[in-house]
Amino acid sequence: MSNDDCIFCRIARSEISASKVYADEHTIAFMDINQPTRGHVLIIPKQHYVNLFDIDRDTLAAVMETTRKIAIATKRAVNADGIQLWQSNGAAAMQEVFHFHTHIFARYVDDDIKRLGIRAAAKHPPRAELDELAQVIAQALGE
Ligand code: 5GP
Ligand code: ZN
Protein backbone atom coordinates (compact mmCIF):
# COMPACT_ATOMS: atom_id res chain seq x y z
CA MET A 1 0.00 0.00 0.00
CA SER A 2 1.43 3.37 -1.00
CA ASN A 3 -0.02 6.83 -1.41
CA ASP A 4 1.15 9.12 -4.25
CA ASP A 5 0.47 12.33 -2.37
CA CYS A 6 1.98 11.25 0.94
CA ILE A 7 5.31 12.87 1.74
CA PHE A 8 6.52 9.94 3.87
CA CYS A 9 5.58 7.41 1.15
CA ARG A 10 7.66 9.54 -1.23
CA ILE A 11 10.58 9.45 1.22
CA ALA A 12 10.14 5.65 1.52
CA ARG A 13 10.30 5.39 -2.30
CA SER A 14 13.34 7.75 -2.34
CA GLU A 15 11.44 10.24 -4.53
CA ILE A 16 12.17 12.93 -1.93
CA SER A 17 15.54 13.00 -0.26
CA ALA A 18 15.87 12.50 3.47
CA SER A 19 18.79 12.05 5.86
CA LYS A 20 18.27 8.33 6.40
CA VAL A 21 19.59 6.63 9.53
CA TYR A 22 18.37 3.06 9.06
CA ALA A 23 16.12 0.85 6.96
CA ASP A 24 14.98 -2.77 7.14
CA GLU A 25 12.27 -4.82 5.45
CA HIS A 26 9.35 -2.97 7.02
CA THR A 27 10.63 0.33 8.46
CA ILE A 28 12.79 3.41 7.81
CA ALA A 29 14.32 5.92 10.23
CA PHE A 30 15.36 9.40 9.07
CA MET A 31 16.08 12.80 10.56
CA ASP A 32 13.14 15.15 11.01
CA ILE A 33 13.77 18.43 9.12
CA ASN A 34 12.97 20.18 12.42
CA GLN A 35 15.56 19.70 15.17
CA PRO A 36 14.35 21.42 18.36
CA THR A 37 17.26 19.63 20.02
CA ARG A 38 20.17 17.78 18.38
CA GLY A 39 18.65 14.35 17.71
CA HIS A 40 15.04 14.37 16.39
CA VAL A 41 14.41 11.18 14.37
CA LEU A 42 11.25 9.82 12.72
CA ILE A 43 10.46 6.13 12.30
CA ILE A 44 7.88 5.04 9.72
CA PRO A 45 6.55 1.83 8.22
CA LYS A 46 7.43 1.56 4.51
CA GLN A 47 3.76 0.85 3.81
CA HIS A 48 1.21 3.62 4.13
CA TYR A 49 -0.85 3.53 7.33
CA VAL A 50 -2.54 6.73 8.45
CA ASN A 51 -2.13 6.31 12.19
CA LEU A 52 -2.68 4.02 15.18
CA PHE A 53 -6.30 3.55 14.16
CA ASP A 54 -5.44 1.61 11.01
CA ILE A 55 -1.92 0.17 11.40
CA ASP A 56 -1.81 -3.62 11.86
CA ARG A 57 -0.21 -5.23 14.92
CA ASP A 58 2.80 -6.75 13.16
CA THR A 59 3.74 -3.51 11.43
CA LEU A 60 3.29 -1.59 14.67
CA ALA A 61 5.57 -4.07 16.41
CA ALA A 62 8.20 -3.61 13.66
CA VAL A 63 8.02 0.18 13.97
CA MET A 64 8.35 -0.01 17.76
CA GLU A 65 11.34 -2.35 17.52
CA THR A 66 13.07 0.09 15.16
CA THR A 67 12.10 2.95 17.48
CA ARG A 68 13.72 1.11 20.40
CA LYS A 69 16.95 0.51 18.44
CA ILE A 70 17.18 4.06 17.15
CA ALA A 71 16.38 5.54 20.58
CA ILE A 72 19.30 3.67 22.13
CA ALA A 73 21.66 4.61 19.29
CA THR A 74 20.55 8.26 19.37
CA LYS A 75 21.12 8.57 23.11
CA ARG A 76 24.63 7.20 22.66
CA ALA A 77 25.41 9.17 19.47
CA VAL A 78 24.49 12.64 20.74
CA ASN A 79 25.18 11.99 24.41
CA ALA A 80 21.60 12.86 25.37
CA ASP A 81 20.45 12.92 28.99
CA GLY A 82 17.17 11.25 28.02
CA ILE A 83 14.98 10.19 25.09
CA GLN A 84 11.37 11.21 24.61
CA LEU A 85 8.96 9.33 22.33
CA TRP A 86 6.06 11.16 20.71
CA GLN A 87 3.29 9.79 18.48
CA SER A 88 0.16 11.64 17.34
CA ASN A 89 -3.10 10.28 15.91
CA GLY A 90 -5.57 12.65 14.25
CA ALA A 91 -5.46 16.40 13.61
CA ALA A 92 -6.91 17.12 17.04
CA ALA A 93 -3.90 15.34 18.52
CA MET A 94 -1.55 17.53 16.41
CA GLN A 95 -0.84 14.90 13.74
CA GLU A 96 0.34 16.84 10.66
CA VAL A 97 1.64 14.10 8.38
CA PHE A 98 -0.95 11.37 7.90
CA HIS A 99 1.42 8.42 7.57
CA PHE A 100 2.02 6.60 10.87
CA HIS A 101 5.26 7.67 12.56
CA THR A 102 6.99 7.80 15.90
CA HIS A 103 9.21 10.69 16.94
CA ILE A 104 12.40 10.30 18.95
CA PHE A 105 13.51 13.49 20.71
CA ALA A 106 16.95 13.56 22.27
CA ARG A 107 16.49 15.47 25.51
CA TYR A 108 19.05 17.36 27.56
CA VAL A 109 18.87 18.90 31.00
CA ASP A 110 17.51 22.47 30.53
CA ASP A 111 17.10 22.10 26.74
CA ASP A 112 15.02 24.36 24.47
CA ILE A 113 12.05 21.95 24.57
CA LYS A 114 11.88 22.31 28.34
CA ARG A 115 12.15 26.10 28.09
CA LEU A 116 9.93 26.72 25.04
CA GLY A 117 7.88 23.58 24.29
CA ILE A 118 8.25 21.35 21.22
CA ARG A 119 6.65 23.75 18.72
CA ALA A 120 8.38 26.96 19.76
CA ALA A 121 11.75 25.23 19.96
CA ALA A 122 11.63 24.53 16.17
CA LYS A 123 14.95 24.76 14.30
CA HIS A 124 15.66 23.87 10.68
CA PRO A 125 19.33 23.07 10.24
CA PRO A 126 20.87 22.73 6.75
CA ARG A 127 20.75 19.33 5.05
CA ALA A 128 24.49 18.81 5.55
CA GLU A 129 23.97 18.96 9.33
CA LEU A 130 21.04 16.48 9.14
CA ASP A 131 23.18 14.14 7.03
CA GLU A 132 25.99 14.35 9.56
CA LEU A 133 23.61 13.59 12.43
CA ALA A 134 22.10 10.64 10.53
CA GLN A 135 25.57 9.25 9.99
CA VAL A 136 26.60 9.61 13.63
CA ILE A 137 23.42 7.83 14.79
CA ALA A 138 23.81 5.09 12.16
CA GLN A 139 27.34 4.51 13.37
CA ALA A 140 26.16 4.20 16.99
CA LEU A 141 23.76 1.43 15.90
CA GLY A 142 26.68 -0.85 15.28
CA GLU A 143 28.49 -0.14 18.57
P1 5GP B 1 3.40 15.09 13.32
O1 5GP B 1 3.02 16.47 13.78
O2 5GP B 1 2.52 14.61 12.17
O3 5GP B 1 3.52 14.10 14.43
O4 5GP B 1 4.89 15.24 12.77
C1 5GP B 1 5.24 15.42 11.43
C2 5GP B 1 6.72 15.69 11.41
O5 5GP B 1 7.17 15.54 10.07
C3 5GP B 1 7.12 17.10 11.87
O6 5GP B 1 7.99 17.00 12.98
C4 5GP B 1 7.80 17.71 10.63
O7 5GP B 1 8.90 18.52 10.96
C5 5GP B 1 8.21 16.48 9.86
N1 5GP B 1 8.29 16.67 8.41
C6 5GP B 1 7.38 17.27 7.60
N2 5GP B 1 7.77 17.25 6.32
C7 5GP B 1 8.98 16.61 6.30
C8 5GP B 1 9.90 16.29 5.25
O8 5GP B 1 9.70 16.58 4.08
N3 5GP B 1 11.03 15.65 5.61
C9 5GP B 1 11.30 15.30 6.91
N4 5GP B 1 12.46 14.68 7.15
N5 5GP B 1 10.46 15.60 7.93
C10 5GP B 1 9.31 16.24 7.63
ZN1 ZN C 1 2.33 7.39 3.23
Side-chain angles (χ1 to χ4, degrees), residues 53-70:
F53 308 130
D54 77 333
I55 193 167
D56 69 77
R57 291 169 70 166
D58 289 347
T59 306
L60 178 61
V63 171
M64 290 315 294
E65 173 55 13
T66 299
T67 301
R68 185 189 70 82
K69 273 190 210 158
I70 303 296

Side-chain angles (χ1 to χ4, degrees), residues 26-136:
H26 300 295
T27 67
I28 304 175
F30 54 95
M31 303 312 298
D32 195 301
I33 46 173
N34 175 27
Q35 296 284 310
T37 66
R38 182 175 155 79
H40 179 193
V41 192
L42 298 173
I43 293 89
I44 64 168
K46 287 182 173 174
Q47 301 280 311
H48 183 84
Y49 296 95
V50 175
N51 52 35
L52 197 59
F53 308 130
D54 77 333
I55 193 167
D56 69 77
R57 291 169 70 166
D58 289 347
T59 306
L60 178 61
V63 171
M64 290 315 294
E65 173 55 13
T66 299
T67 301
R68 185 189 70 82
K69 273 190 210 158
I70 303 296
I72 293 166
T74 299
K75 184 173 187 299
R76 191 182 299 143
V78 299
N79 201 20
D81 297 314
I83 292 286
Q84 185 163 28
L85 301 185
W86 175 277
Q87 200 277 313
S88 303
N89 303 283
M94 303 198 313
Q95 183 177 8
E96 289 183 347
V97 176
F98 289 89
H99 179 129
F100 183 92
H101 55 279
T102 59
H103 296 252
I104 288 172
F105 289 101
R107 298 297 309 267
Y108 307 86
V109 174
D110 295 329
D111 62 21
D112 280 355
I113 295 179
K114 185 172 181 192
R115 290 190 304 110
L116 304 169
I118 277 175
R119 298 278 171 180
K123 278 182 214 89
H124 294 91
R127 173 50 58 88
E129 198 175 317
L130 296 176
D131 286 347
E132 181 263 331
L133 257 173
Q135 211 176 351
V136 172

